[in-house]
Amino acid sequence: MSDIAIRVENLSKRYRIGVEERSHDTLAESLLSVASRPVKNLRRLSRLSRFEEDEDEAEDVIWALRDVSFDVKKGEVVGIIGRNGAGKSTLLKILTRITRPTRGRATIRGSVQSLLEVGTGFHRELTGRENVYLNGAVLGMPAREITEKFDEIVEFSGVRKFIDTPVKRYSTGMRVRLAFSVAAHLEPEVLLVDEVLSVGDEEFQKKCLGKLDEVAGRGRTVLFVSHNLQSVTRLCERALLVDGGRIVMDGASHEVVGEYLAVGAQGTGVREW
């Protein structure tokens, strides 16, 4: 266990979703439904986080994750790929304690930082300079460390000319670039990354990829979720393929990406003109 940075054991997460309501055939049924709606809504609200033991396969219950288990060694860079809704982001949210698992457990050894929602903590009325300190504090960086890295953060973002301008006057790309620059200069032992290489233009994306490559090269443990398969094969020696809340393949990144593309190609429809 001493060389394990992340251990996930039989991790499962379920949610309750809405279901289609039955239509009413008569005016009396419709009026009765309207009259009882406040009570129905209250019951639905109370059921959102309450589950009975026999509800695992109920119509309004979905499993975002189902019995997921894997280990990540210290210094390992592991990619996680899969279709939208496969359960990738849910997994990272459990690892960062944003949400609790329904079953199973996850253990992380070492300090952890996550790049899930780039820009969390930014305030529109504050300047870029003030937001660097605010965002850094939200992400757990002490003020002394932010001051030491301030010039490096601003240089990386490419918005030095506007650093003392209120963020509300920034373009979306400028705001995200500055936010990513702050987050990218953290020094955790374990870094969890969820689809952040889509920020900014192509030049900035290359800088982001280079920064993650640098972090991985310093022996940090990285769990990297992305739809950019080229980035996954470049950064990661190993990858996990997630589908339907389960890990369906765990192996060398180029083999896992190849399997993912092959399955996607089989599901592609044929168009006839």
Side-chain angles (χ1 to χ4, degrees):
M1 181 67 181
S2 59
D3 66 334
I4 300 297
I6 302 173
R7 169 157 288 174
V8 174
E9 302 172 275
N10 302 314
L11 206 62
S12 299
K13 179 64 178 179
R14 64 183 169 188
Y15 293 101
R16 193 182 299 280
I17 60 173
V19 294
E20 185 178 357
E21 293 189 15
R22 182 179 65 86
S23 60
H24 303 293
D25 298 325
T26 66
L27 177 60
E29 287 181 344
S30 298
L31 292 175
L32 182 60
S33 175
V34 171
S36 61
R37 191 170 297 278
V39 176
K40 288 181 179 178
N41 289 341
L42 184 60
R43 286 176 180 169
R44 286 175 182 167
L45 185 62
S46 66
R47 289 181 70 243
L48 283 177
S49 57
R50 244 186 8 191
F51 297 89
E52 302 296 336
E53 288 300 321
D54 59 348
E55 281 194 298
D56 286 1
E57 306 302 330
E59 181 184 9
D60 61 344
V61 171
I62 63 166
W63 288 89
L65 294 174
R66 199 78 182 254
D67 299 322
V68 171
S69 298
F70 64 91
D71 289 341
V72 178
K73 294 181 179 180
K74 291 180 180 178
E76 196 173 11
V77 183
V78 179
I80 302 180
I81 62 175
R83 297 178 298 175
N84 289 328
K88 306 183 301 297
S89 295
T90 299
L91 173 60
L92 290 198
K93 287 177 180 178
I94 291 176
L95 292 177
T96 52
R97 297 186 179 182
I98 293 175
T99 186
R100 294 171 61 87
T102 302
R103 297 173 188 158
R105 59 179 296 179
T107 306
I108 299 181
R109 289 176 170 266
S111 59
V112 183
Q113 288 292 352
S114 59
L115 298 179
L116 305 186
E117 298 289 342
V118 176
T120 301
F122 261 44
H123 195 293
R124 285 172 46 82
E125 300 299 328
L126 300 180
T127 65
R129 183 184 301 273
E130 293 166 333
N131 269 299
V132 167
Y133 281 89
L134 176 62
N135 196 223
V138 169
L139 294 173
M141 296 173 67
R144 176 181 53 79
E145 183 180 351
I146 299 173
T147 300
E148 291 174 356
K149 296 182 178 180
F150 182 82
D151 289 336
E152 187 180 349
I153 290 171
V154 175
E155 190 65 33
F156 187 88
S157 70
V159 299
R160 180 176 293 279
K161 183 177 180 180
F162 309 98
I163 196 63
D164 290 306
T165 301
V167 165
K168 66 181 180 181
R169 297 196 175 95
Y170 283 21
S171 68
T172 302
M174 290 169 60
R175 188 163 57 248
V176 174
R177 285 167 68 117
L178 185 59
F180 180 86
S181 298
V182 175
H185 286 79
L186 300 170
E187 295 290 341
E189 295 173 271
V190 179
L191 181 62
L192 309 176
V193 184
D194 186 7
E195 199 59 70
V196 296
L197 293 184
S198 58
V199 302
D201 52 30
E202 184 177 354
E203 178 187 356
F204 188 70
Q205 288 181 30
K206 290 180 180 178
K207 290 176 68 175
C208 293
L209 193 61
K211 188 66 179 179
L212 290 177
D213 213 356
E214 177 187 330
V215 169
R218 281 181 286 172
R220 310 289 183 182
T221 304
V222 181
L223 207 56
F224 178 53
V225 172
S226 181
H227 289 289
N228 189 327
L229 303 181
Q230 185 177 2
S231 299
V232 171
T233 53
R234 171 182 164 179
L235 281 174
C236 314
E237 292 186 2
R238 174 187 169 203
L240 309 176
L241 175 57
V242 181
D243 187 35
R246 300 178 186 270
I247 294 180
V248 296
M249 188 174 181
D250 180 352
S253 60
H254 66 279
E255 293 179 358
V256 175
V257 167
E259 175 67 17
Y260 176 52
L261 292 174
V263 172
Q266 291 174 6
T268 303
V270 176
R271 177 176 296 174
E272 297 182 1
W273 296 94

